[in-house]
Amino acid sequence: MKVFIAGATGVLGHRLVDSLADRGHEVHGLARDAEGEQIVERYGGIARRGDVLEPGSLDRVIDDDVDVLIHAATAIPDSTKPSDEEWVRNDRVRLDGMTNLLAAAPETLQQVLFPSVVWVVRQPDGSEFDETAAYNPDRATESAAEVEDLLRERATQATFDAAILRCGFFYASDARDTREWGKDLLDGDLPIVGGGLLGRQDGTMSFVHIDDAATAFVAAVEQGASGVYHVVDDRPVAPAAFFETFADLLDAPEPGRVPGWLARFFVGKIAADLLTSEWRTTNEKARQELDWEPTHPTVAEGLQQIVETWQSEGQLVETDTGIEWSGDDVRQADTPGSTA
């Protein structure tokens, strides 16, 4: 099949290019500059120069015989405490980007896939939820819900199938957040954000290693899937368990704690609420209908793989005083998604 990917240079996008090309598909990846074109080509794709916010550029690069379209582009803010203006940019890339991509796509398009996020339907009472749950978005996920609705509406008017893969919280060796967490843990500068007056109450989150998210998309493409799927690992965990496991693998100091109400002043309400809320879901539907299962079923396996990758790449070095970070700053920034 011929697959067109917007966001092809991001930490999810380049994995999709690599995996789909490796399985014999013709993959066209959208890139905004020469560096992005090199990334697409490095992973076996055909680079197409354009931008999801420039409709004219999409008309030139989306071929009439494209079978599958994947909109994996985002502009997730990289600042510690994002402003509303930063979220507006992300909204435009998500929603205007999908609108522009669909307008430029051929009428013979067979399938459109969108990586949403599972916490767009987290429940106010903290109960476990599945693909049928009602929306409960925050400022960061409002546009994800809007894109889901847009895609469903357009699919009823056209001939393509719409597959919405809501992903858990991304982590990987090349993901911006994961690398920053690793460096901060090694420096003893990453406290656990907890609920309650003293920060002793833990929420529960559903994570997914980005490698596993990519294999779910490949499965959805090759099976011509439609509908909504939750792509998460097998065991939701508290952020405290995630960071304590990470610190142990890095031989880093045990992280302390800070209450969510205080963390809001430093990381903002969205991040603090995300880290202290209950949002647990299951991958049962994806397992059954996509014949997919995560290679890293829990964060313990996923974090072990990340630390081993950093060690093999020389980004972690042992010194007389312990393990230190020696890697360069990560360029990409997906949680989940990638640049336009």
Side-chain angles (χ1 to χ4, degrees):
M1 285 185 287
K2 181 181 285 190
V3 183
F4 186 92
I5 302 175
T9 62
V11 292
L12 174 62
H14 79 67
R15 284 170 168 82
L16 298 178
V17 174
D18 187 29
S19 299
L20 289 165
D22 188 59
R23 294 179 66 85
H25 300 286
E26 182 179 326
V27 183
H28 292 201
L30 191 66
R32 292 186 298 169
D33 51 34
E35 181 183 6
E37 290 177 330
Q38 292 174 359
I39 293 173
V40 172
E41 292 168 358
R42 183 187 312 148
Y43 288 100
I46 300 169
R48 308 304 299 269
R49 181 74 72 94
D51 191 314
V52 295
L53 297 182
E54 298 178 4
S57 71
L58 300 178
D59 291 334
R60 296 191 297 269
V61 299
I62 299 180
D63 294 343
D64 290 340
D65 58 347
V66 165
D67 301 301
V68 177
L69 172 67
I70 303 176
H71 180 25
T74 63
I76 303 296
D78 59 6
S79 57
T80 303
K81 192 176 179 181
S83 66
D84 188 66
E85 288 75 15
E86 290 175 285
W87 287 117
V88 168
R89 166 72 179 178
N90 184 58
D91 296 341
R92 291 189 62 226
V93 171
R94 274 179 173 160
L95 186 57
D96 294 352
M98 178 63 87
T99 301
N100 295 337
L101 287 164
L102 293 176
E107 293 183 359
T108 56
L109 189 68
Q110 298 177 21
Q111 186 188 37
V112 179
L113 297 94
F114 173 61
S116 188
V117 290
V118 294
W119 58 97
V120 74
V121 291
R122 62 180 175 178
Q123 296 302 287
D125 63 358
S127 60
E128 187 170 353
F129 55 89
D130 62 16
E131 289 82 354
T132 65
Y135 290 135
N136 182 35
D138 59 19
R139 180 64 189 86
T141 58
E142 290 172 351
S143 57
E146 292 174 333
V147 173
E148 288 190 18
D149 286 341
L150 171 68
L151 190 52
R152 290 191 189 95
E153 178 186 354
R154 295 294 179 86
T156 63
Q157 302 169 0
T159 59
F160 64 78
D161 291 318
I164 297 166
L165 275 62
R166 293 181 184 144
C167 298
F169 200 99
F170 276 170
Y171 69 106
S173 62
D174 56 337
R176 181 195 68 216
D177 287 339
T178 309
R179 290 168 68 98
E180 290 180 350
W181 292 337
K183 289 184 284 186
D184 288 345
L185 284 169
L186 287 167
D187 292 338
D189 193 28
L190 184 68
I192 294 166
V193 179
L197 184 62
L198 301 177
R200 298 296 178 183
Q201 299 173 10
D202 291 325
T204 308
M205 299 169 57
S206 290
F207 289 83
V208 66
H209 194 292
I210 298 178
D211 288 352
D212 290 325
T215 62
F217 273 86
V218 173
V221 168
E222 295 190 335
Q223 296 189 35
S226 64
V228 180
Y229 299 89
H230 285 185
V231 178
V232 297
D233 67 16
D234 291 348
R235 188 184 305 163
V237 298
F242 182 95
F243 291 121
E244 288 167 353
T245 300
F246 206 178
D248 184 60
L249 290 168
L250 290 167
D251 197 22
E254 182 178 351
R257 283 182 175 266
V258 62
W261 62 266
L262 181 59
R264 289 185 180 189
F265 292 101
F266 303 101
V267 299
K269 181 179 185 298
I270 293 173
D273 288 353
L274 191 69
L275 292 168
T276 56
S277 299
E278 291 283 340
W279 48 282
R280 295 166 289 126
T281 189
T282 173
N283 59 28
E284 182 178 352
K285 182 180 179 183
R287 278 179 171 273
Q288 292 181 352
E289 297 187 13
L290 301 181
D291 193 24
W292 167 85
E293 63 180 40
T295 301
H296 310 96
T298 72
V299 296
E301 287 91 349
L303 291 171
Q304 179 71 49
Q305 184 267 346
I306 288 168
V307 171
E308 290 175 353
T309 298
W310 287 345
Q311 290 172 332
S312 68
E313 293 177 349
Q315 298 183 71
L316 293 177
V317 294
E318 291 196 27
T319 69
D320 293 339
T321 57
I323 297 176
E324 293 184 359
W325 178 265
S326 67
D328 294 330
D329 288 340
V330 66
R331 185 187 68 83
Q332 297 299 342
D334 286 41
T335 319
S338 63
T339 56

